[in-house]
Amino acid sequence: MTSTPGPTPPASSLDPAIAARLKRGADGLVPAIAQQYDTGEVLMLGWMDDEALHRTLTTGRCTYWSRSRQEYWVKGDTSGHVQQVRSVALDCDADTVLVRVDQTGAACHTGDRTCFDADVVLPPAQ
C-alpha cells in the first residue's frame, strides 16, 4: 500500500531542536497518536508534519495533515469534537508523536468514541 505524498513542507516555526529530532516518513509525515490524558484510552491516529506539530504545540488544539484532502485540519473545527492538548511527547526513536488530550465527544469520524473499538480482532485477556 502506498501513501499519498504529504505536504510540501512550508516554512515552519517548529522549534528547530524538535524539528532536528523528528524522523519523518518519505512523505514528510509522522504518525500522531491521540490518547485521552486521564484514562489512557487510545482515541485515534492522525498524521503531522512540522507545521501541524507547531500548530498543535502553540494553539493547544490538535492539528493534523489530511492525506486524503491534502490540507491541515484542526480536530473539532467542523464536528465540535475538540481535542484539547494536555501534553505532547516523542517516542524513543522520535518517529511517532503521542498527544495526550482531553477529548470532547467522538474522536472517530464514524461517531465512535475511539477509532479502535469497532473492529476488535483479539479481545483483551480476562
Side-chain angles (χ1 to χ4, degrees):
M1 181 162 124
T2 60
S3 62
T4 305
T8 301
S12 175
S13 299
L14 182 63
D15 179 328
I18 297 170
R21 291 182 58 206
L22 280 179
K23 292 185 182 115
R24 302 157 196 82
D27 56 7
L29 302 172
V30 294
I33 301 166
Q35 179 183 40
Q36 179 63 34
Y37 82 98
D38 54 353
T39 65
E41 180 181 31
V42 176
L43 300 170
M44 60 172 279
L45 178 127
W47 297 93
M48 292 184 180
D49 66 358
D50 289 20
E51 181 60 20
L53 181 54
H54 168 72
R55 292 179 189 188
T56 297
L57 293 170
T58 58
T59 66
R61 299 263 316 274
C62 282
T63 301
Y64 300 100
W65 175 256
S66 171
R67 296 181 303 169
S68 60
R69 295 189 311 265
Q70 295 289 294
E71 64 185 15
Y72 294 104
W73 58 279
V74 179
K75 183 68 175 168
D77 269 1
T78 56
S79 67
H81 299 165
V82 175
Q83 292 176 342
Q84 287 291 333
V85 176
R86 293 298 183 104
S87 68
V88 178
L90 299 178
D91 76 335
C92 58
D93 296 320
D95 63 0
T96 304
V97 176
L98 175 64
V99 187
R100 291 186 182 99
V101 302
D102 190 6
Q103 177 71 48
T104 300
C108 188
H109 72 281
T110 64
D112 287 337
R113 169 74 181 162
T114 86
C115 293
F116 297 100
D117 61 0
D119 194 12
V120 176
V121 293
L122 179 64
Q126 297 298 327

